[in-house]
Amino acid sequence: MTDVGVWFVGARGNIATTAIVGALAIARGETATTGMVTERPPCETLDLPDVGDLTFAGHDIRNRSLRDAAERLEAGGGVPSNDTIEAVADELETIDERVCRGTALNCGPRVRELADGPPLEADRSVAEIVERLRDDYAAFRDRHDLDRVIVVNVASTEPELSNPKRYADRAAIERAIEADDRELPASSLYAYAALADGHPYANFTPSPGSSLGGLRELAVDEDVPHTGADGKTGESLVKAALAPMFAGRNLRVMSWEAHNVLGNTDGHVLEDDRNKAGKLASKGGILDGILPEIDHDRVRIDYTPSLGDWKTAWDYVHFEGFLETEMKMQFTWEGSDSALAAPLTLDLARLLSHADERGESGLQRHLASFFKAPVDVDEHDLSRQLDMLSEYVEERTGERPGEPLPSPEARTD
Ligand code: NAD
């Protein structure tokens, strides 16, 4: 059995709290694994670490306890239930002690306002912050005698970088760290610290994370798997399933309006246009990839505090068929934001652990179905993305006739 640690960046947030409570509840047999992709075919045939055996820790810039975070979720949206929180309360307290102070470098004022006390950058250079993050990951690994630590970014969305090309290669990133370049975003510092020491990294947010050219190079150099960006959980998931239908039937989509309203802290942070820009870009990219001829494709995101952790999306599709006949389609999606996202973070941790154990490094393109903006993947059709995952699993389990099993050293990058 491999001992795997999951390090959540944004550990006291809604997704991380829901994932931790959920994994602890699964371990106790209190709840089922519904919503986890790795618990059904094809992934269930892979030799993955058990959800109930994962060890949790993380970084955050807020001090509230995990129990408090879980109780606020329950009060605002009913998930997780009070009974579930009560059942895992002692373990939450233990995990609380493993949450370290993080950095909010270049995250924008909306995110900095969340911080209780000074984040790491208040009294440290960029190089010192990176050093500290590396020490935090290493201490977790050593203290719990873990075979590997998977870093999963579920921190608040950062503003877009004005010039990501500045960090196009590893040397440029390392020079920037040494030169105390305070435009480097926190998500990329966490990613650098992880990849430099061989910890696999998943970016569940639209923030830059490991997508910078220099970090992709670092992942290949250090033989570490990584993946991202921006989990595909609600309206964009439906869109990625539905848009190929219009394309396949040669129905010309003229307009696709998508209006999302949500009431949690994520929604509050996205009220700032600088933080919202990255989210709009990754949501908007889905239709560009599937319906390139579309005339009008707009996504709106609005903060409606009374909705708490529930997200409602209303999509309106105006399309044309045979004999220039105009038709319309609408759908409404109402989801518990964190209950949709949390199981996917556990899936990603398990799948990255598996890849790392097999020596697979670089971008894990077969995980595209998990993301709105999969790095370096142009395919946005959900069913084709799921085929990529199935093919990967079949190759690893030898179920693909005629396909040789790749050696553990084989790189995916
Ligand atoms: P949240 O606001 O509840 O949690 C974010 C947590 O990150 C907070 O505890 C905050 O204090 C912490 N944080 C912020 N900046 C940090 C930093 N630099 N370092 C360490 N901690 C930091 O948000 P959430 O609902 O849990 O969502 C988390 C992220 O996942 C957001 O970026 C969101 O856009 C993204 N996401 C969510 C979904 C979904 O379905 N819920 C889907 C795709 C992406």
Side-chain angles (χ1 to χ4, degrees):
M1 191 184 81
T2 34
D3 290 319
V4 177
V6 180
W7 186 281
F8 282 121
V9 179
R12 302 191 192 284
N14 288 349
I15 297 181
T17 302
T18 307
I20 293 170
V21 170
L24 297 175
I26 289 168
R28 293 170 153 263
E30 298 266 342
T31 190
T33 53
T34 314
M36 289 190 63
V37 174
T38 46
E39 286 291 320
R40 70 175 301 280
C43 295
E44 66 172 4
T45 53
L46 291 173
D47 186 16
L48 301 175
D50 280 347
V51 188
D53 289 338
L54 300 172
T55 305
F56 295 98
H59 283 117
D60 208 300
I61 54 173
R62 289 194 288 188
N63 285 341
R64 67 184 195 175
S65 70
L66 283 165
R67 181 175 182 144
D68 180 43
E71 285 173 350
R72 283 174 198 241
L73 274 165
E74 195 283 332
V79 186
S81 70
N82 274 327
D83 284 351
T84 306
I85 299 169
E86 199 52 55
V88 302
D90 290 348
E91 287 143 292
L92 291 182
E93 230 174 90
T94 308
I95 297 168
D96 262 326
E97 285 161 22
R98 302 183 203 138
V99 179
C100 304
R101 183 156 67 109
T103 171
L105 194 69
N106 202 9
C107 289
R110 232 353 121 103
V111 174
R112 268 200 315 276
E113 278 164 21
L114 297 177
D116 297 313
L120 289 179
E121 68 275 13
D123 51 5
R124 282 176 175 77
S125 68
V126 174
E128 286 166 342
I129 297 170
V130 169
E131 195 66 25
R132 170 68 178 266
L133 304 178
R134 290 172 83 159
D135 288 350
D136 290 340
Y137 300 148
F140 175 51
R141 183 179 178 146
D142 296 346
R143 200 164 300 135
H144 298 278
D145 206 12
L146 300 167
D147 294 297
R148 52 186 49 81
V149 173
I150 318 295
V151 177
V152 181
N153 180 26
V154 281
S156 309
T157 299
E158 299 168 353
E160 282 192 304
L161 272 185
S162 54
N163 185 9
K165 292 207 171 99
R166 280 177 57 201
Y167 309 113
D169 55 61
R170 179 179 180 170
I173 297 238
E174 289 177 345
R175 269 197 311 273
I177 292 171
E178 286 314 311
D180 201 29
D181 174 350
R182 298 182 94 82
E183 280 187 29
L184 278 165
S187 63
S188 296
L189 299 187
Y190 291 115
Y192 179 90
L195 299 173
D197 288 334
H199 307 302
Y201 172 90
N203 184 12
F204 205 76
T205 81
S207 306
S210 63
S211 66
L212 299 176
L215 294 181
R216 287 157 59 176
E217 186 183 330
L218 177 67
V220 173
D221 287 353
E222 302 300 327
D223 280 332
V224 203
H226 67 122
T227 190
D230 201 6
K232 187 157 67 194
T233 59
E235 185 258 335
S236 44
L237 177 70
V238 182
K239 208 180 230 178
L242 209 51
M245 176 193 77
F246 291 100
R249 283 294 169 93
N250 198 14
L251 296 169
R252 188 172 80 83
V253 177
M254 298 175 287
S255 304
W256 195 310
E257 286 281 5
H259 193 172
N260 298 264
V261 288
L262 70 166
N264 53 20
T265 318
D266 186 28
H268 176 67
V269 168
L270 296 176
E271 275 282 275
D272 187 314
D273 287 341
R274 288 163 291 191
N275 299 66
K276 191 188 283 185
K279 184 64 97 178
L280 289 177
S282 60
K283 275 173 111 44
I286 294 175
L287 290 188
D288 289 349
I290 305 171
L291 301 168
E293 312 291 317
I294 193 166
D295 300 326
H296 176 85
D297 165 18
R298 185 163 53 183
V299 181
R300 288 171 186 273
I301 305 171
D302 286 314
Y303 176 50
T304 309
S306 63
L307 289 179
D309 198 46
W310 284 76
K311 182 159 62 183
T312 299
W314 170 73
D315 278 39
Y316 185 91
V317 189
H318 185 199
F319 63 100
E320 187 185 74
F322 198 47
L323 295 170
E324 288 85 42
T325 311
E326 288 186 21
M327 293 170 253
K328 288 128 198 162
M329 191 212 152
Q330 313 177 38
F331 69 83
T332 310
W333 169 270
E334 291 186 63
S336 161
D337 217 17
S338 304
L340 287 164
L344 304 181
T345 63
L346 299 172
D347 286 325
L348 289 168
R350 299 176 84 196
L351 289 164
L352 283 181
S353 170
H354 175 81
D356 192 43
E357 196 171 347
R358 293 181 51 86
E360 294 165 4
S361 63
L363 274 169
Q364 302 294 295
R365 293 183 179 82
H366 59 278
L367 301 180
S369 60
F370 286 89
F371 298 107
K372 295 187 194 67
V375 182
D376 238 14
V377 177
D378 293 330
E379 184 57 76
H380 283 280
D381 177 328
L382 181 66
S383 64
R384 291 201 185 142
Q385 291 178 334
L386 289 171
D387 286 347
M388 289 161 67
L389 183 59
S390 294
E391 280 163 26
Y392 168 88
V393 174
E394 284 162 12
E395 283 169 21
R396 267 68 192 164
T397 51
E399 283 175 23
R400 217 169 147 71
E403 292 278 353
L405 268 179
S407 73
E409 288 76 35
R411 285 182 168 173
T412 55
D413 207 352

